[in-house]
């Protein structure tokens, strides 16, 4: 199903985890794609794998630009040479712990980079944006499932950049109503493309659960620390809404189509989750089942700042974007393992 007119999309951070998976789907859906990425948290091999996955013909519609959103000139160069119909804005730093120790780096990268992007988009009259927000803007939710109209809170500098960037988007739209902005609040993206050719490849020791489990499974790490076993949940471990990265990628296509089709979209937030809560221990056992590997665990104290249970209300995205996650945790673990098993060191050739 290609789009009738070929639309040109700028994807910031397109070499990263969610970016690469989304670019594959965009190309398959008939969009033309330009990536801008400074490769701060990614490698060019990931973009090469995207080309390999979509094949030589669709690869002709993909352009990679090495550039940093903090340098307005890098963005300007792209807009000066071609017209973009919309921007999907993934580029940003995302490590919560690092943001606590170095908030200036987060404010500089995430806020300044995004403001430069808006300025350049406005200058070239490109006023459609899909922005990567996060369930982190719900803080420690008092009620679950999280609904888009809940009060928003930030728990750390990273979360504050997402909250500020949501507020900035709402202010820009309020002042200039011709902007169309979709804020996508991702829950916990996991899994990989079913081919096992692209996936998440964090630098250093992973902070997030699934990349950590995956590195235990391939023998890079000895055991998983399960942070918290005394939460008031079914098995004492914390509950999250894990979502397959390919479902997430398709959520971006749905958001783009909504932007193009609905002049009244304004600036609107949507949750991208499955609506299902899964505990850490349930995730471990689903991964063991998918991989046939035993994951040694150590029950450890709670991680500071973690919420007990977070999952999405998916009604608004279903109703207004016509999008619903298709995959469950078994498929997420199957594809995560497929990626890990064939790329134990990620995109590196060998350690
Ligand atoms: N993965 C998650 O758990 C999660 C959850 C909620 C929200 N998000 C958000 O989604 C977006 C994408 O996340 P991801 O998991 O793909 O992360 P990622 O780190 O894999 O991808 C981000 C990409 O942006 C690039 N980048 C960062 N700063 C840049 C800059 N100034 N200029 C150009 N490129 C830059 C990085 O090199 C990287 O390739 C981020 O904004 C993140 O905060 C991620
Ligand atoms: O080694 C680990 C890593 C994680 N966990 C636990 O696994 C759960 C999920 O943790 P993640 O770090 O994978 O994900 P979070 O829910 O903490 O946060 C992630 O998803 C959020 C959205 O909900 C934000 O976007 C945030 O930036 C992003 O890191 C938590 O209970 C955590 O304590 C472990 O037990 N051991």
């Amino acid at each position: 199903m290609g789009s009738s007119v070929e639309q040109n999309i700028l994807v910031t951070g397109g070499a990263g985890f969610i970016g690469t998976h989304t670019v594959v789907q965009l190309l398959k859906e008939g969009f033309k794609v330009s990536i801008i990425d400074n490769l701060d948290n990614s490698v060019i091999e990931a973009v090469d794998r995207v080309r390999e996955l979509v094949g030589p013909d669709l690869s002709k519609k993909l352009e990679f630009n090495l550039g940093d959103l903090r340098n307005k000139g890098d963005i300007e160069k792209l807009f000066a040479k071609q017209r973009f119909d919309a921007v999907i804005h993934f580029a940003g730093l995302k490590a919560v712990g690092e943001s606590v120790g170095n908030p200036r780096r987060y404010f500089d990268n995430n806020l300044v980079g995004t403001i430069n992007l808006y300025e350049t988009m406005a200058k070239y009259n490109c006023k459609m944006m899909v922005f990567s927000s996060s369930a982190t803007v719900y803080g420690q939710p008092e009620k679950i499932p999280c609904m888009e109209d809940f009060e928003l809170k930030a728990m750390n500098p990273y979360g504050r950049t997402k909250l500020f960037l949501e507020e900035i988007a709402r202010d820009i739209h309020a002042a200039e109503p011709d902007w169309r902005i979709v804020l996508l609040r991702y829950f916990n993206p996991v899994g990989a493309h079913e081919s096992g050719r692209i996936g998440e490849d964090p630098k250093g020791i992973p902070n997030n659960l699934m990349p950590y489990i995956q590195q235990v499974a391939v023998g890079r790490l000895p055991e998983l620390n399960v942070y918290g076993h005394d939460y008031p949940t079914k098995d004492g471990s914390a509950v999250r809404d894990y979502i397959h990265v390919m479902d997430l990628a398709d959520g971006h296509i749905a958001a783009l189509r909504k932007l193009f089709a609905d002049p009244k979209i304004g600036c609107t937030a949507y949750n991208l989750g499955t609506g299902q809560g899964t505990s850490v221990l349930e995730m471990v056992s689903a991964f063991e089942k998918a991989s046939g590997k035993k994951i040694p665990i150590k029950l450890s104290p709670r991680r500071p700042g973690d919420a007990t249970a977070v999952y999405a209300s998916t009604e608004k995205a279903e109703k207004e974007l016509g999008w619903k996650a298709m995959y469950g945790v078994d498929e997420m673990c199957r594809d995560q393992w497929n990626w890990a098993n064939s790329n134990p060191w990620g995109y590196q050739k060998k350690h």
Side-chain angles (χ1 to χ4, degrees), residues 94 96 134-136 158 186-188 207-209 212 224-227 238 240 242 280 303 306:
K94 60 167 185 175
V96 173
S134 164
T136 192
Y158 163 71
Y186 312 151
F187 281 66
N188 290 58
N207 300 302
N208 298 116
L209 179 66
Y212 203 104
L224 171 76
N225 292 301
V226 173
Y227 295 131
R240 295 289 182 276
Y242 298 93
V280 173
R303 193 169 65 173
D306 272 357

Side-chain angles (χ1 to χ4, degrees), residues 85-156:
D85 295 288
V87 175
I88 303 184
H89 178 31
F90 292 113
L93 300 175
K94 60 167 185 175
V96 173
E98 186 193 29
S99 80
V100 175
N102 196 352
R104 279 191 289 108
R105 174 165 147 81
Y106 274 67
F107 295 134
D108 180 38
N109 196 84
N110 294 5
L111 298 184
V112 174
T114 306
I115 291 164
N116 285 342
L117 181 62
Y118 276 120
E119 289 292 320
T120 316
M121 289 174 69
K123 179 172 170 189
Y124 287 89
N125 200 29
C126 168
K127 294 192 169 177
M128 296 205 205
M129 153 94 92
V130 178
F131 172 67
S132 298
S133 186
S134 164
T136 192
V137 299
Y138 294 117
Q140 302 254 12
E142 276 158 31
K143 281 188 296 181
I144 32 180
C146 299
M147 314 266 291
E148 285 84 348
D149 61 0
F150 277 12
E151 196 194 327
L152 305 180
K153 299 184 267 281
M155 308 283 294
N156 50 62

Side-chain angles (χ1 to χ4, degrees), residues 272-317:
L272 293 187
T274 63
Q276 301 294 317
T278 306
S279 74
V280 173
L281 292 173
E282 285 172 333
M283 218 51 195
V284 171
S285 76
F287 191 88
E288 288 182 333
K289 197 172 116 206
S291 63
K293 299 271 179 190
K294 181 80 196 142
I295 305 296
I297 60 166
K298 183 164 146 206
L299 297 179
S300 307
R302 294 180 182 193
R303 193 169 65 173
D306 272 357
T308 302
V310 183
Y311 54 88
S313 161
T314 58
E315 261 171 55
K316 189 176 173 193

Side-chain angles (χ1 to χ4, degrees), residues 17-18 37-38 40-42 68-69 90 94 109 158 162:
F17 170 45
I18 305 171
D37 200 303
N38 63 1
D40 179 272
N41 196 38
S42 52
D68 193 316
L69 297 188
F90 292 113
K94 60 167 185 175
N109 196 84
Y158 163 71
K162 292 298 177 192

Side-chain angles (χ1 to χ4, degrees), residues 39-327:
L39 302 181
D40 179 272
N41 196 38
S42 52
V43 290
I44 196 66
E45 287 75 14
V47 179
D48 297 339
R49 299 260 184 113
V50 167
R51 291 188 199 282
E52 170 204 305
L53 274 178
V54 300
D57 286 348
L58 291 184
S59 283
K60 290 189 198 121
K61 297 184 176 179
L62 171 62
E63 179 189 291
F64 176 82
N65 304 276
L66 184 64
D68 193 316
L69 297 188
R70 287 169 301 175
N71 300 330
K72 226 187 203 175
D74 289 356
I75 314 172
E76 174 89 34
K77 253 194 282 180
L78 302 183
F79 279 85
K81 70 174 186 207
Q82 59 189 308
R83 170 161 178 85
F84 293 110
D85 295 288
V87 175
I88 303 184
H89 178 31
F90 292 113
L93 300 175
K94 60 167 185 175
V96 173
E98 186 193 29
S99 80
V100 175
N102 196 352
R104 279 191 289 108
R105 174 165 147 81
Y106 274 67
F107 295 134
D108 180 38
N109 196 84
N110 294 5
L111 298 184
V112 174
T114 306
I115 291 164
N116 285 342
L117 181 62
Y118 276 120
E119 289 292 320
T120 316
M121 289 174 69
K123 179 172 170 189
Y124 287 89
N125 200 29
C126 168
K127 294 192 169 177
M128 296 205 205
M129 153 94 92
V130 178
F131 172 67
S132 298
S133 186
S134 164
T136 192
V137 299
Y138 294 117
Q140 302 254 12
E142 276 158 31
K143 281 188 296 181
I144 32 180
C146 299
M147 314 266 291
E148 285 84 348
D149 61 0
F150 277 12
E151 196 194 327
L152 305 180
K153 299 184 267 281
M155 308 283 294
N156 50 62
Y158 163 71
R160 222 164 332 273
T161 67
K162 292 298 177 192
L163 185 54
F164 288 168
L165 288 169
E166 283 210 3
E167 299 291 15
I168 287 170
R170 285 185 274 270
D171 284 345
I172 288 176
H173 174 261
E176 298 167 47
D178 54 335
W179 279 87
R180 301 186 199 177
I181 306 174
V182 168
L183 308 169
L184 295 179
R185 296 180 183 153
Y186 312 151
F187 281 66
N188 290 58
V190 299
H193 190 269
E194 61 174 12
S195 64
R197 296 297 290 158
I198 55 173
E200 187 169 13
D201 183 21
K203 291 189 175 159
I205 295 180
N207 300 302
N208 298 116
L209 179 66
M210 288 309 278
Y212 203 104
I213 292 181
Q214 149 182 347
Q215 293 197 10
V216 173
V218 298
R220 286 171 65 173
L221 292 167
E223 64 185 0
L224 171 76
N225 292 301
V226 173
Y227 295 131
H229 47 95
D230 56 354
Y231 283 109
T233 58
K234 45 197 157 186
D235 57 22
S237 64
V239 167
R240 295 289 182 276
D241 186 339
Y242 298 93
I243 173 165
H244 197 297
V245 65
M246 293 309 291
D247 274 330
L248 203 64
D250 288 336
H252 290 75
I253 311 272
L256 262 190
R257 297 211 190 282
K258 179 75 175 172
L259 279 184
F260 292 135
D262 184 356
K264 292 202 170 63
I265 181 78
C267 178
T268 307
Y270 294 98
N271 290 336
L272 293 187
T274 63
Q276 301 294 317
T278 306
S279 74
V280 173
L281 292 173
E282 285 172 333
M283 218 51 195
V284 171
S285 76
F287 191 88
E288 288 182 333
K289 197 172 116 206
S291 63
K293 299 271 179 190
K294 181 80 196 142
I295 305 296
I297 60 166
K298 183 164 146 206
L299 297 179
S300 307
R302 294 180 182 193
R303 193 169 65 173
D306 272 357
T308 302
V310 183
Y311 54 88
S313 161
T314 58
E315 261 171 55
K316 189 176 173 193
E318 260 176 64
K319 196 163 145 230
E320 296 180 20
L321 300 180
W323 168 90
K324 187 175 175 1
M326 284 164 38
Y327 298 114

